[in-house]
Amino acid sequence: MRYILSSFLALHWAVVFALLAFICIDGNRGVAAALGVLGVAVQNTRFVDLENAIVVAPLAVALLVVAVLFCWALIETLTSDPANPDDSVTRIAFICASGVLSLIVVGGAAQGVNGLFMAVAVQLAALLASYVAMLAERRPAFAAAVPDMGETRAAAHVMAKAAAHNSSLSRISGRPDTNLRDGR
């Protein structure tokens, strides 16, 4: 079984971060337009112009790196073995996306951009929901592939307790234990 939801979510976030990077490097609009896509209207800032290359280049590169990580997670989701899922790339992509969004909040707060916290909080909540949905989709397939050791251990524990109980009863009563072969 292929992971349809995981594939869709990885593709979605790859497109979102790639579009944010493209809008960010667009000469006419820059970071203010990228923040506008997130839902923040930027009028004026305190210190640095948001179209300055010092601000635009690192942010665009960071957004593009996150987009590439989500593309990599998509490819890994499509090509991985369903019985043995490896979600390390997916985990790294979500961590990097959360980090970039957190840096946007910190940088926007330093610039005096109002309303940025709530817009990024919504994006972080969507990232968290996506990550939980991807884990939930992978968990049943992984659980079906690996036999449940909990039931086996519970049965062995019950059998060991019964054997110890029978042995104790036979020693207390003075009768020889029928389960012991050497007669002790």
Side-chain angles (χ1 to χ4, degrees):
M1 177 183 97
R2 291 290 172 210
Y3 304 116
I4 296 170
L5 181 63
S6 297
S7 302
F8 173 75
L9 288 173
L11 177 66
H12 166 77
W13 288 112
V15 169
V16 166
F17 281 100
L19 285 175
L20 282 173
F22 177 73
I23 291 170
C24 193
I25 62 171
D26 188 16
N28 297 333
R29 298 174 281 184
V31 176
L35 293 177
V37 169
L38 290 176
V40 179
V42 179
Q43 278 80 20
N44 55 5
T45 58
R46 278 191 238 165
F47 302 110
V48 179
D49 188 20
L50 290 180
E51 284 80 23
N52 193 349
I54 295 172
V55 175
V56 173
L59 183 61
V61 168
L63 291 169
L64 196 56
V65 166
V66 171
V68 168
L69 283 171
F70 276 113
C71 285
W72 187 5
L74 171 67
I75 292 169
E76 184 139 333
T77 300
L78 293 175
T79 59
S80 69
D81 181 22
N84 189 15
D86 182 24
D87 62 344
S88 60
V89 176
T90 304
R91 187 179 312 120
I92 291 170
F94 278 105
I95 290 170
C96 289
S98 300
V100 168
L101 289 175
S102 297
L103 286 175
I104 289 173
V105 168
V106 170
Q111 296 298 317
V113 178
N114 294 327
L116 187 60
F117 180 75
M118 195 53 122
V120 172
V122 169
Q123 296 301 318
L124 285 172
L127 276 170
L128 177 65
S130 298
Y131 184 67
V132 169
M134 290 173 102
L135 286 181
E137 184 182 35
R138 291 178 182 202
R139 176 100 24 195
F142 182 68
V146 177
D148 189 17
M149 295 304 291
E151 292 177 12
T152 307
R153 286 186 181 177
H157 185 69
V158 168
M159 291 170 59
K161 281 176 76 175
H165 181 71
N166 289 340
S167 177
S168 296
L169 286 178
S170 65
R171 287 181 189 233
I172 290 171
S173 67
R175 294 183 299 182
D177 191 2
T178 57
N179 293 333
L180 296 175
R181 294 190 183 176
D182 60 12
R184 285 197 251 168

